[in-house]
Amino acid sequence: MSDDRVRRALRDTAIPEPPGAAERGRRIVAAAFAERRSGDRDGCSEPRGAMTPTTSEGRGRRPVPRLALGLSLAALLAVLLLSPAGAAVRDWVDEALTASTPKPEPTLAKVPGGGKLLVQTGEGPVVVRPDGSKRLLGGYEAASWSPHGLFVAAVEKRKLSALEPDGTVRWSITAAQRVAVPRWSPSGERIAYRSGFDLRVIAGDGSEDRLLAGSTAAGTSPDARISPAYVPPAWSPTGENALAYVTGAGRLRILDSETGAVLAGAPALRRITWMDWADRGRKILEAAPATIRLRAVLPAGHPSRPALGKARRLHLPPRATVNDAALAPQTPLVAASITHWRKHGTYSEVIVFEPGHGTRTLLSVPGSLGQVEWSPDGKRLLIAWPGADQWLFLPLGRGRGRAIADISRAIAPSGRPTSFPELEGWCCPSP
Amino acid sequence: MREAQEGSGTAMARLYSLHWRGAYRAAYLVAHDAAAAEDIAQDAFLAAVDALDRFDRRRPFRPWLHRIVVNRALDWARREALRRRVDGAESVFEPLPPPEEIGGEMIAALKELPAEQRAVVVLRHLLEYTPGEIARMLELPRGTVNSRLRRGLDRLRAAAEAERLAGERR
């Protein structure tokens, strides 16, 4: 076997790649570069560069990479665990693992707590039914549930489609620019989505597609529009027409989705990755890699004339990185998956915040956790653990948690895993 | 690099476009995990952005980036190996199934090498660095690099030969 053959094999053999990986990286690097520049130049703008994103996959909740956080210490941990002197550390690791995580089961026989999961795999979005059976919806890049789980909004390049949960296409439109982050209104009558940097709204039957907010903002540095524009818009849960979104210039705005009028605005959290309405429309939750905060929406419960009040940070351990955050349906609880340093190394926790009542740590494991998603009844959490290739279903109250092993393979429609699946939503029990 | 240091987003984009594919591929071939490879490649570029002001323009960008990528992929692979050992020994988790073959007997055989050998094979035969350069990148004696390369290639050859014979028997 010649060196040339090795070289050719390494260079040319197809290798798996998470969908959108290059683009996702480009956006994150562009955002980091823009942030560095804005720090350097204190707000001066530069001509729009090629790093400005033109596409988006996923739902904008993917955090900045956090792998590096644990790598160097992991090497140290390796040395410690494998040495005689590392026995105490090994005991500590055992204790941490056994104390917090249930024993994994080999298959997802049914969805604990019921409901249907929508999961983005390397082959496209997959619906996991309550009995654990799966259905690939097609080669779409991202998807989200309609409010009652009767339909799925899915995107692929410039195409936005409404699908039935078996993959049947109800309608499709082709937008002028790449489509991303579709979000269905609570009434099911409207879908808000991004096309390029534009925020648009379309009726649930595929008609009345219209521009709600354009991409250009006078006086805005083009580079400043890199990441905030891909934070998914969020509909007020009250059933009114209020739609919250983050502008390219990093402002949180509430719009009347019928008239396009700006109802309220305030600076969004720096480096915001995700936001949603909380506490039945009385607050807006914003998440960024190092911060989670709640901003009051005033007057409480009346988003037809809202104003944005003061923002209050939720307490996180020092230097914690927020992997994901999610709001419980019906209650003001907020769950967050975080990673931080402790005495022995990198640790991840799932914390549940009850505003006004404090916090509770639901899970603590070494290494990194991923996304977190509430069950439709708000009684349990689904926690992604990519490092262990598992999903953890943990009840909030008493009861047995469950861990499902080998998730990349179990969820991949072809059974050939290409990447750890992303959670897009856990929807309503079947009617 | 000079333009990127002066603040040009276009230049930074060009650097990214030029080097992302190679960085991802190198990370994947050492870590053999697509999600980890994505994070490692991304993280290397973020490190580049952070260090842009301190970067010595007289030195090439490519080896600097690859040094970060391969070292982090190596750390990741070691950590994974450790995690599996701890999990298996204590039966806290079910043992993971054998890794999926991703196509190409050479890549499958590469996956079976120790991470340290994988790293030098990838640096030598994918990224085409000399043993001397690899030694500096991984902070190893040159003799160690050579022996890892030799052992790695021997095992790749053996695996390829076994595969060929099995194919003939079929």
Side-chain angles (χ1 to χ4, degrees):
Chain A
M1 185 183 62
S2 67
D3 285 0
D4 192 45
R5 190 174 158 209
V6 177
R7 191 163 297 129
R8 266 186 286 124
L10 297 185
R11 193 186 57 211
D12 299 334
T13 306
I15 58 172
E17 185 178 313
E23 182 54 34
R24 203 157 37 235
R26 196 169 71 90
R27 284 206 313 272
I28 288 170
V29 172
F33 187 75
E35 187 170 285
R36 171 187 165 274
R37 289 216 60 231
S38 64
D40 288 350
R41 295 168 53 172
D42 196 23
C44 293
S45 63
E46 77 160 354
R48 188 184 195 113
M51 287 301 279
T52 309
T54 54
T55 63
S56 176
E57 293 84 24
R59 55 179 181 163
R61 288 172 67 176
R62 188 184 167 82
V64 294
R66 54 194 178 278
L67 182 67
L69 206 63
L71 289 180
S72 54
L73 211 70
L76 175 63
L77 183 62
V79 172
L80 282 172
L81 288 175
L82 296 175
S83 67
V89 179
R90 193 159 54 238
D91 290 345
W92 166 81
V93 170
D94 296 344
E95 184 190 344
L97 294 173
T98 50
S100 306
T101 57
K103 185 172 178 174
E105 301 163 31
T107 56
L108 182 60
K110 65 173 192 171
V111 177
K116 299 176 288 189
L117 295 164
L118 185 59
V119 181
Q120 184 68 31
T121 72
E123 295 164 65
V126 167
V127 171
V128 182
R129 302 188 188 101
D131 63 3
S133 62
K134 301 175 310 234
R135 176 80 186 194
L136 175 67
L137 300 183
Y140 301 97
E141 295 162 349
S144 63
W145 285 116
S146 71
H148 303 293
L150 299 176
F151 300 101
V152 169
V155 299
E156 184 194 8
K157 296 180 180 168
R158 292 192 297 126
K159 197 161 76 175
L160 169 66
S161 303
L163 316 173
E164 293 182 20
D166 65 359
T168 306
V169 178
R170 291 293 291 259
W171 55 260
S172 281
I173 59 152
T174 301
Q177 298 176 74
R178 195 145 183 149
V179 174
V181 292
R183 291 295 182 269
W184 229 295
S185 69
S187 66
E189 292 173 0
R190 296 273 183 274
I191 300 170
Y193 68 98
R194 292 277 186 181
S195 172
F197 289 121
D198 293 342
L199 177 67
R200 302 185 68 89
V201 172
I202 190 169
D205 63 1
S207 65
E208 300 174 41
D209 181 32
R210 62 197 160 82
L211 179 70
L212 203 56
S215 60
T216 50
T220 301
S221 157
D223 274 350
R225 301 196 212 111
I226 285 169
S227 60
Y230 286 92
V231 174
W235 291 92
S236 163
T238 60
E240 305 285 341
N241 298 323
L243 176 67
Y245 78 109
V246 181
T247 71
R251 285 191 62 82
L252 173 64
R253 276 197 184 140
I254 301 177
L255 289 183
D256 182 322
S257 65
E258 292 304 301
T259 64
V262 177
L263 302 174
L269 191 57
R270 186 174 150 82
R271 297 179 70 197
I272 185 169
T273 56
W274 180 74
M275 60 95 190
D276 203 354
W277 296 75
D279 199 7
R280 287 167 283 181
R282 288 189 284 240
K283 294 188 177 71
I284 286 181
L285 181 79
E286 298 168 84
T291 314
I292 303 174
R293 75 180 185 190
L294 279 165
R295 185 184 282 282
V297 179
L298 305 167
H302 296 283
S304 58
R305 293 294 304 162
L308 289 169
K310 281 188 178 173
R312 191 171 61 83
R313 288 185 176 213
L314 301 184
H315 177 73
L316 295 173
R319 298 176 63 202
T321 300
V322 178
N323 306 320
D324 197 17
L327 286 160
Q330 321 299 338
T331 68
L333 298 182
V334 178
S337 153
I338 61 165
T339 298
H340 63 107
W341 291 94
R342 271 199 198 164
K343 193 176 170 187
H344 298 289
T346 305
Y347 242 69
S348 287
E349 291 178 354
V350 173
I351 299 177
V352 178
F353 299 91
E354 188 173 5
H357 293 86
T359 64
R360 175 185 156 197
T361 301
L362 194 67
L363 173 72
S364 184
V365 296
S368 290
L369 289 171
Q371 292 173 278
V372 58
E373 197 77 50
W374 287 90
S375 64
D377 61 7
K379 290 181 178 171
R380 69 185 73 217
L381 284 163
L382 166 50
I383 298 148
W385 191 2
D389 201 14
Q390 288 181 20
W391 279 353
L392 304 173
F393 292 85
L394 298 186
L396 217 57
R398 290 186 179 184
R400 194 169 65 93
R402 291 179 62 187
I404 312 297
D406 204 10
I407 277 298
S408 305
R409 187 185 307 267
I411 297 299
S414 63
R416 293 176 66 84
T418 53
S419 60
F420 193 80
E422 281 192 46
L423 299 168
E424 297 280 14
W426 189 353
C427 185
C428 23
S430 300
Chain B
M1 175 51 86
R2 182 177 52 76
E3 289 172 28
Q5 281 183 314
E6 287 167 0
S8 163
T10 308
M12 189 66 220
R14 222 165 30 236
L15 276 178
Y16 181 85
S17 301
L18 271 175
H19 295 293
W20 189 87
R21 185 70 45 199
Y24 175 83
R25 195 171 185 87
Y28 179 83
L29 290 174
V30 176
H32 281 274
D33 180 290
E38 181 186 349
D39 274 355
I40 290 163
Q42 248 179 46
D43 196 56
F45 278 98
L46 289 176
V49 169
D50 278 349
L52 214 51
D53 294 333
R54 302 186 299 277
F55 190 80
D56 181 352
R57 284 182 204 172
R58 290 165 300 183
R59 301 174 72 177
F61 175 72
R62 184 175 175 272
W64 182 81
L65 183 77
H66 289 156
R67 175 190 175 132
I68 297 176
V69 167
V70 172
N71 275 301
R72 292 188 179 189
L74 199 48
D75 284 344
W76 188 92
R78 287 172 179 148
R79 188 184 61 160
E80 269 301 287
L82 169 72
R83 189 183 64 77
R84 289 179 192 199
R85 264 200 302 276
V86 171
D87 295 351
E90 302 301 329
S91 300
V92 175
F93 300 99
E94 297 292 333
L96 293 173
E100 181 87 356
E101 194 164 307
I102 56 162
E105 80 276 8
M106 190 73 69
I107 304 294
L110 181 71
K111 195 174 185 175
E112 299 306 317
L113 296 183
E116 289 77 8
Q117 289 178 17
R118 280 204 301 267
V120 292
V121 168
V122 167
L123 282 165
R124 179 76 187 100
H125 293 289
L126 173 71
L127 303 174
E128 301 187 343
Y129 291 107
T130 64
E133 288 168 330
I134 296 169
R136 281 193 295 278
M137 286 170 131
L138 300 181
E139 296 177 0
L140 291 171
R142 189 166 165 163
T144 306
V145 170
N146 284 331
S147 66
R148 284 182 186 174
L149 262 177
R150 195 175 54 248
R151 283 193 205 123
L153 285 176
D154 284 350
R155 290 179 66 170
L156 288 180
R157 281 192 193 101
E161 185 60 16
E163 179 74 17
R164 189 183 63 78
L165 291 174
E168 282 176 5
R169 276 198 296 274
R170 283 195 294 268

